[in-house]
Amino acid sequence: MRSRELPSSNTRFHKPLLIAAALITVVVAAAVILYTGRFGLLTLTDAKTGEVYARYLMHGEEEFSVGFIHSVNKSPVIDHYQPERDGIYVVKTVYYGFGAGVQTLIEEGQTLSYGDDGSMIVTGFDQKIPDLIYFVGTVSDHTLTIADRKEISLRELCGRNSMVRFSYRRLL
């Protein structure tokens, strides 16, 4: 009986299989990262015309906020939002003064706390905002902050008196 030698692992038969396995691994890893990473696009558009002002890539756990000087009580207000698959949710509001036009009652499920800078922080909203629109100020600016890392002047980006619609769409 003759013995046959088995091909070594360095033969040309294994190279295509290794390449295919590597490609499949890369594709699966990328899909898992994108899906579990929950990346999405925050899009700012003109609420009247639909013109796109900007798009920002966000990781699913990141929040964004819009800060401005309240037109009536003249103190800063910062609204914090969490984008989710089904829309944008308000999660927190930071005030620096009470007065007309700002929340004065704490509703069921909400909590009032105080920051080191004297701010009043209301949390516990967990409320979906079906159509988030801001009117960009003429006297003071509105500032978009993404994940505490990037500040954008809405006056510079969109112009004074613009009606800016915020929307979020998950990728994948």
Side-chain angles (χ1 to χ4, degrees), residues 103 105-111 122-125 127:
Q103 183 174 354
L105 296 175
I106 301 301
E107 297 176 10
E108 186 176 333
Q110 296 177 349
T111 304
V122 180
T123 57
F125 291 99
Q127 179 180 357

Side-chain angles (χ1 to χ4, degrees), residues 116-167:
D116 293 338
D117 60 355
S119 61
M120 296 165 281
I121 304 162
V122 180
T123 57
F125 291 99
D126 194 34
Q127 179 180 357
K128 182 178 176 181
I129 306 298
D131 196 19
L132 180 59
I133 296 175
Y134 275 92
F135 293 92
V136 178
T138 56
V139 176
S140 66
D141 198 0
H142 283 67
T143 303
L144 168 65
T145 303
I146 299 175
D148 295 327
R149 62 178 160 74
K150 184 173 188 168
E151 289 190 5
I152 298 111
S153 162
L154 294 183
R155 184 186 287 168
E156 289 178 17
L157 178 67
C158 311
R160 294 175 190 251
N161 291 320
S162 297
M163 289 177 52
V164 182
R165 175 173 281 124
F166 291 73
S167 61

Side-chain angles (χ1 to χ4, degrees), residues 2-47:
R2 290 175 103 194
S3 67
R4 286 193 313 174
E5 260 186 54
L6 293 174
S8 71
S9 62
N10 294 333
T11 64
R12 62 186 166 118
F13 299 109
H14 291 290
K15 192 171 187 178
L17 290 174
L18 291 173
I19 291 172
L23 285 174
I24 290 170
T25 302
V26 168
V27 168
V28 168
V32 166
I33 288 169
L34 284 175
Y35 182 75
T36 59
R38 295 177 33 199
F39 288 97
L41 286 176
L42 177 65
T43 303
L44 280 61
T45 58
D46 183 301

Side-chain angles (χ1 to χ4, degrees), residues 22-137:
L23 285 174
I24 290 170
T25 302
V26 168
V27 168
V28 168
V32 166
I33 288 169
L34 284 175
Y35 182 75
T36 59
R38 295 177 33 199
F39 288 97
L41 286 176
L42 177 65
T43 303
L44 280 61
T45 58
D46 183 301
K48 294 178 184 174
T49 67
E51 172 193 353
V52 175
Y53 292 122
R55 288 188 176 97
Y56 301 99
L57 183 65
M58 294 182 65
H59 186 272
E61 298 302 316
E62 293 177 329
E63 291 182 2
F64 69 92
S65 64
V66 178
F68 56 94
I69 301 298
H70 195 277
S71 61
V72 176
N73 71 22
K74 307 295 184 202
S75 66
V77 175
I78 305 168
D79 294 321
H80 293 257
Y81 300 95
Q82 175 68 56
E84 296 289 342
R85 180 178 293 280
D86 64 334
I88 296 173
Y89 288 75
V90 62
V91 293
K92 174 172 66 175
T93 298
V94 180
Y95 302 101
Y96 290 86
F98 281 119
V102 299
Q103 183 174 354
T104 56
L105 296 175
I106 301 301
E107 297 176 10
E108 186 176 333
Q110 296 177 349
T111 304
L112 171 65
S113 60
Y114 296 92
D116 293 338
D117 60 355
S119 61
M120 296 165 281
I121 304 162
V122 180
T123 57
F125 291 99
D126 194 34
Q127 179 180 357
K128 182 178 176 181
I129 306 298
D131 196 19
L132 180 59
I133 296 175
Y134 275 92
F135 293 92
V136 178

